[in-house]
Amino acid sequence: MPLMTNTGVDDFMKKDTRIAKPEWLKISLGNVKGFQTIENILKELNLITVCKEANCPNRAECYSSGTATFMIMGGMCTRKCKFCNVKDGSPKSLDIDEPKHLAEAVKKLKLNYVVVTSVTRDDLADGGASHFAEVVEEIRKTDKNVRVELLIPDLKGREESLKIILDAKPEVLNHNIETISRLYEDVRPEAEYSRSLEVLRMSKEIDPKIKTKSGIMLGLGETREEVVQVFKDLRENSCDLLTIGQYLRPSEEHYPMYEYVTPEDFEWYKEKAEEMGFEGVASGPLVRSSYKAWELYND
């Protein structure tokens, strides 16, 4: 994979929209009935999924199989990452009934494994940590056997906030590294590569029994060597599980996509990551951080 520099980015952004989508990215629409069932339950309980807000390519497949990744604390993010389709701006106050509603949805959907994520809430003193904990508590009240994976923002690196979340005892603590260190300033200008690694390291130190997980997108102009360095950095900071997927540019206003990474390359990265000691690796063009998360956890 060649290295992308800042030279000629404007020209590249124009070119990006003309890259033909390869056959391996064609997506099945899934079962419409199952899709609508989840949509109705979410609407009834005033819940949001990252599947819809982030325009996930696997939304139809997951919905039709009775699964979803819930997004809490509203649909408005306080940061503006250049790759993300979630809206940014000034968020509303927290919905105090949301944890109970989410637990009710888990019960209605008969889920055994639940993934919960959130927008970044830098406006809250604890970054929303207490709300995450309440969600886990309510799910446990509904069914103590439900496994919970939390995909969290960086909480500005606050250990006290992270401890609140981990004290709720989720099975998996997921925090995405998203991209290589070199691209952070352009792709995640309000985040820090080192801080994301620190979140994973602190999580394992606070509770070694909880699995740690992270994910990276490919196709933003990274080199193979840079990606492998990310794997190394994650392992050195106690990351157990890894997801590797294709970046798909949501619109022309977002960061440009440099290339479609082939399924063969994704397989190479999977094998490399496994060699480096990750307990579970999901790697493929359509893989997202919560895609078939229960399978990765159970590997």
Side-chain angles (χ1 to χ4, degrees), residues 147-243:
R147 292 185 173 93
V148 181
E149 176 175 323
L150 300 181
L151 172 55
I152 67 169
D154 65 24
L155 307 170
K156 289 189 175 180
R158 291 179 294 238
E159 185 173 359
E160 61 272 22
S161 295
L162 187 58
K163 192 173 186 304
I164 291 171
I165 290 175
L166 293 170
D167 282 347
K169 302 301 180 185
E171 274 67 31
V172 178
L173 190 290
N174 188 346
H175 175 64
N176 284 336
I177 198 75
E178 302 292 10
T179 187
I180 60 170
S181 175
R182 174 175 57 83
L183 293 176
Y184 255 62
E185 185 176 346
D186 294 325
V187 178
R188 304 188 72 196
E190 295 169 89
E192 297 174 11
Y193 183 80
S194 59
R195 186 163 65 194
S196 285
L197 292 173
E198 185 74 357
V199 168
L200 295 165
R201 185 194 62 76
M202 287 192 298
S203 296
K204 189 60 75 172
E205 287 185 356
I206 293 169
D207 193 332
K209 294 181 180 179
I210 295 175
K211 297 287 187 184
T212 49
K213 180 178 177 181
S214 194
I216 182 172
M217 306 172 291
L218 303 183
L220 294 118
E222 64 286 326
T223 67
R224 179 169 288 193
E225 292 75 19
E226 287 175 313
V227 176
V228 172
Q229 182 62 50
V230 173
F231 296 171
K232 181 180 179 182
D233 293 340
L234 289 171
R235 288 297 299 134
E236 288 180 349
N237 286 274
S238 304
C239 183
D240 301 315
L241 308 173
L242 177 66
T243 58

Side-chain angles (χ1 to χ4, degrees), residues 85-144:
N85 199 48
V86 175
K87 296 177 182 176
D88 63 277
S90 299
K92 297 179 181 179
S93 300
L94 293 179
D95 177 1
I96 59 173
D97 293 322
E98 185 174 51
K100 291 182 179 180
H101 288 166
L102 196 152
E104 187 177 345
V106 169
K107 184 177 181 179
K108 286 187 175 184
L109 292 170
K110 300 178 181 178
L111 301 179
N112 296 315
Y113 193 100
V114 182
V115 181
V116 181
T117 188
S118 77
V119 291
T120 298
R121 292 295 302 261
D122 289 332
D123 59 309
L124 301 174
D126 67 355
S130 299
H131 202 71
F132 265 113
E134 287 177 29
V135 167
V136 178
E137 181 182 350
E138 291 298 330
I139 292 173
R140 300 281 194 235
K141 286 180 183 178
T142 302
D143 186 344
K144 64 181 181 180

Side-chain angles (χ1 to χ4, degrees), residues 4 6-16 256:
M4 180 180 176
N6 290 328
T7 305
V9 167
D10 290 341
D11 290 339
F12 173 72
M13 291 179 74
K14 295 175 183 177
K15 177 184 176 183
D16 174 72

